[in-house]
Amino acid sequence: RLLDVGVAADLEPHPGMIRRAVSAGTAPVHEGPAMSREQAVEALLAGYDALMEHDNSRSMDLIGVGCISSGSLVPTLLIAARLLGLSDRIILARAGDRGHQLQQALDVHGEALRAASPMDLLASVGGFDLAAMVGIYLAAARCHVATVVGGLTSATAAVLASRWTGSRARLE
């Protein structure tokens, strides 16, 4: 199944798609916060609830989590760098053709990201896709469902989810 939490395009309806769009894409991270804290919570809960609703029968043993967005590289690199304690210099060296966008985002958010909570990281520079994946991982952990991590954004969401504990009520 595909979960739409904020694709910035008109998608044709599909029986395998769950629509929980928060907005039509996030704001550019090089201009300011990607989303409000409320939008980050909404996207995270969309992922969490989608899995919890689907797993009511406790029929899932394994899920795959991945991202189809091409715009998530800069947010993913920023969040991964903060979670792993990497310097700006290291992530800029790995950014390739997105280096300019990454530098702009660092100029805007820089020091604020160093001590940010997981939710603040999501709201500042994350994407709806990343927030929803965090919610999916949290729900999978609660339901004891194994997950397959599919790519850098998905792996970053898994690490970010590992920073949360507790019930759905404590996600907000």
Side-chain angles (χ1 to χ4, degrees), residues 40-51:
V41 169
E42 187 179 347
L44 188 147
L45 292 176
Y48 185 92
D49 291 343
L51 184 69

Side-chain angles (χ1 to χ4, degrees), residues 2-171:
L2 177 69
L3 175 62
D4 169 18
V5 287
V7 175
D10 269 341
L11 300 177
E12 293 294 321
H14 188 277
M17 185 183 317
I18 302 167
R19 289 192 180 265
R20 300 272 171 83
V22 175
S23 181
T26 56
V29 296
H30 62 277
E31 295 178 6
M35 65 187 102
S36 69
R37 188 177 179 87
E38 293 77 19
Q39 288 176 312
V41 169
E42 187 179 347
L44 188 147
L45 292 176
Y48 185 92
D49 291 343
L51 184 69
M52 294 301 288
E53 291 163 9
H54 186 73
D55 195 44
N56 280 339
S57 65
R58 301 286 186 240
S59 62
M60 290 187 293
D61 294 317
L62 178 72
I63 62 166
V65 180
C67 179
I68 61 168
S69 171
S70 62
S72 62
L73 180 61
V74 169
T76 297
L77 288 172
L78 287 167
I79 291 172
R82 293 306 170 249
L83 293 173
L84 300 172
L86 301 176
S87 73
D88 295 347
R89 183 179 51 80
I90 290 174
I91 61 169
L92 284 168
R94 305 288 189 270
D97 62 348
R98 302 277 174 105
H100 181 69
Q101 291 175 320
L102 188 58
Q103 183 61 61
Q104 288 177 318
L106 287 168
D107 291 344
V108 171
H109 300 284
E111 290 301 315
L113 295 178
R114 298 208 190 289
S117 70
M119 185 57 76
D120 291 336
L121 282 171
L122 277 175
S124 294
V125 298
F128 296 138
D129 52 354
L130 205 136
M133 285 187 271
V134 169
I136 290 168
Y137 284 123
L138 292 170
R142 182 168 183 198
C143 295
H144 306 285
V145 174
T147 58
V148 175
V149 177
L152 180 61
T153 301
S154 182
T156 300
V159 174
L160 196 54
S162 74
R163 306 294 168 100
W164 265 284
T165 59
S167 67
R168 180 190 188 281
R170 291 170 51 191
L171 298 178

